[in-house]
Amino acid sequence: DDLVCFRDIKPGAPHHYLVVPVEHMGNCKTLKAEHIPVVKKMMEVGKAVLQRNNFSDLNDIRMGFHWPPFCSISHLHLHVLAPASQLGFLSRLVYRINSYWFIT
């Protein structure tokens, strides 16, 4: 009831979903310790959606947030990508683990 999930319109992997809180939250820079349960739930939903879409290797996924100013909208959204091993060259850059622009 408090989260929605949908496919990314410009997928970076065969499975690319966005998990978004229904209630407005700013970008990942505005997160505080009190938001940890929400972020954990977002990750659980992302994994569940992958499994419902017949992707079971949860060791081959990438989840994270684009760090401002590299996010396209100012509403918190978690990128869920799988299989991470099949990210193309550009996607490996855009969704690079703990880079200046993408945090996991």
Side-chain angles (χ1 to χ4, degrees), residues 57-73:
D57 185 3
L58 297 181
N59 293 315
D60 194 16
I61 64 174
R62 183 158 308 162
M63 292 193 213
F65 303 97
H66 278 112
W67 193 254
F70 303 101
C71 37
S72 56
I73 60 168

Side-chain angles (χ1 to χ4, degrees), residues 3 13-14 22 30-31 36 40 42 46 50 54 59 62 67 69 72-74 82 98:
L3 298 173
V22 172
T30 65
L31 293 173
I36 290 172
K40 284 184 177 181
M42 292 171 77
L50 287 171
N54 300 317
N59 293 315
R62 183 158 308 162
W67 193 254
S72 56
I73 60 168
S74 60
N98 295 328

Side-chain angles (χ1 to χ4, degrees), residues 5-104:
C5 182
F6 49 89
R7 289 187 178 274
D8 192 292
I9 59 171
K10 294 182 182 176
H15 294 274
H16 187 167
Y17 305 100
L18 299 176
V19 180
V20 182
V22 172
E23 180 182 327
H24 178 72
M25 296 180 74
N27 57 50
C28 60
K29 218 173 192 177
T30 65
L31 293 173
K32 297 181 170 88
E34 66 211 42
H35 297 117
I36 290 172
V38 173
V39 173
K40 284 184 177 181
K41 189 170 182 183
M42 292 171 77
M43 293 174 69
E44 290 170 12
V45 167
K47 289 176 184 177
V49 168
L50 287 171
Q51 290 174 320
R52 276 189 229 137
N53 285 281
N54 300 317
F55 186 83
S56 59
D57 185 3
L58 297 181
N59 293 315
D60 194 16
I61 64 174
R62 183 158 308 162
M63 292 193 213
F65 303 97
H66 278 112
W67 193 254
F70 303 101
C71 37
S72 56
I73 60 168
S74 60
H75 187 96
L76 189 69
H77 57 286
L78 175 71
H79 288 267
V80 180
L81 300 111
S85 60
Q86 291 184 23
L87 290 172
F89 176 76
L90 186 57
S91 292
R92 282 194 309 259
L93 292 175
V94 172
Y95 303 103
R96 185 173 165 205
I97 295 174
N98 295 328
S99 59
Y100 181 71
W101 53 88
F102 188 74
I103 60 169
T104 56

